[in-house]
Amino acid sequence: MKVLIVGGGLAGICLGHHLEDEGCDITIIDKGENFSSAIAAGMINPMVFRRMLKTWRGDEVIPYLVDFYAKTEKKIGGKFFFPRKIKRYFSTEEETNLWEMRTKDSSYSNYISSEKEEPQSFIHNTFGVGTVFSPGYVDATLFMRLNHRYFKDKKYLITASFDYNELNTNALTYKNERFDKIVFAEGYSGVDNPFFNYLPLNQTKGEVLKVTIPNYPNKDIINRKCFILPTEDGTYRVGATFAWKNINTKPTEEGKQTLLEQYNKLCVLPLSIIEHEAGIRPTVSDRRPLIGEHQTHKGLFIFNGLGTKGYMLGPYFAHHFTQHLLHNTELDDEVNISRFL
Ligand SMILES: Cc1cc2nc3c(=O)[nH]c(=O)nc-3n(C[C@H](O)[C@H](O)[C@H](O)COP(=O)(O)OP(=O)(O)OC[C@H]3O[C@@H](n4cnc5c(N)ncnc54)[C@H](O)[C@@H]3O)c2cc1C
């Protein structure tokens, strides 16, 4: 089967690997500007801290992503997935109590530790701390660079902007080349897609800092209001903000100050900023991915809406979507775009 994927971010890459492994003839067109997959922190957090609940579909997506990233590292040659634990410092007494309740629930035993823990001395602490067994984080910049190199070497990846005027939806051709399926995986730019712009895809801006923190004592990710992620290269990511207005890819002074304020309330160690980046997440009002075929333009599909947790959801739902594309399996109702008809 010949498939054109528009967008070579995380969604397009995950889909590209699954289709390639199934023997498809793939072409990925990417305009070479990435302000989401390439700047993400790449954390895999099995918990939603706001309500101290397990993340949606964690039991299925987490084992799948662990396997996928390990297999992909071997396939493309390189290491981008690294183990890390997350230490959650609680914000309120209510959070501490909720956490304790979850530790007594056996369905959480794979995700959180029931051990009582001593807070670390470099963290401001009032309400205590708990450990989340995250499988780790993806070095997102490296992931993108290695995958683009892999698909470029195979001549599957073209760096160009997709030109909608060159698409013939009846013949399913692009620049006169015929495809069996065309999948739009354009991330936040998908809001301008003329075929799928009826879907409630939103843009959520996020800013992150790359910093040095001399004397940070271990490799645990620390979280409360913001996160501190110790990366493999010895630097740290501090993030991330959320903004729904004035959406663009420019870092702002306000974003920086918000992160520094949150950091200073969390950690006593001084930091130095190396880099300040901004990006845009492709979010959906019901926080579920957008997958499926256009209602009237048959052969046109969307794979988008990975939201704030793309590195967690992307691999599993790329597999799910591939099974649908190639073997006609039913799409999960929760991700199928038919829910918005
Ligand atoms: C600050 C920040 C922090 C984040 N942290 C995390 C985290 O810790 N953990 C986590 O799991 N997720 C995180 N995310 C979310 C994650 O990054 C996204 O869910 C994911 O990157 C979305 O991937 P995507 O491929 O759908 O979109 P994108 O990465 O935006 O990729 C879309 C691609 O399509 C291309 N494109 C678009 N339109 C066209 C066109 N017309 N022609 C050609 N090419 C086109 C673009 O060039 C781009 O490369 C974070 C996001 C941000 C912004």
Side-chain angles (χ1 to χ4, degrees), residues 172 223 317 336:
L172 223 58
N223 180 295
F317 283 105
N336 195 333

Side-chain angles (χ1 to χ4, degrees), residues 6-12 29-44 144 148 160-164 185-190 204-208 227 240-241 277-282 303-313:
V6 183
L10 171 73
I29 297 187
D30 187 86
K31 65 184 171 189
E33 276 170 27
N34 194 290
F35 290 96
S36 194
S37 304
I39 69 148
M43 278 187 308
I44 309 296
M144 288 292 288
H148 274 215
S161 231
F162 183 81
D163 182 354
Y164 288 98
E186 300 158 291
Y188 67 87
S189 305
T204 305
K205 183 171 176 174
E207 298 187 43
V208 271
F227 61 77
T241 61
E277 292 176 298
I280 305 173
R281 309 167 180 93
F303 183 43
N304 207 327
L306 294 180
T308 58
K309 297 199 169 193
Y311 279 91
M312 184 147 83
L313 301 175

Side-chain angles (χ1 to χ4, degrees), residues 198-219:
Y198 70 93
L199 293 168
L201 180 68
N202 303 313
Q203 300 181 329
T204 305
K205 183 171 176 174
E207 298 187 43
V208 271
L209 302 174
K210 186 176 188 179
V211 304
T212 55
I213 311 174
N215 305 320
Y216 194 92
N218 54 46
K219 286 202 162 177

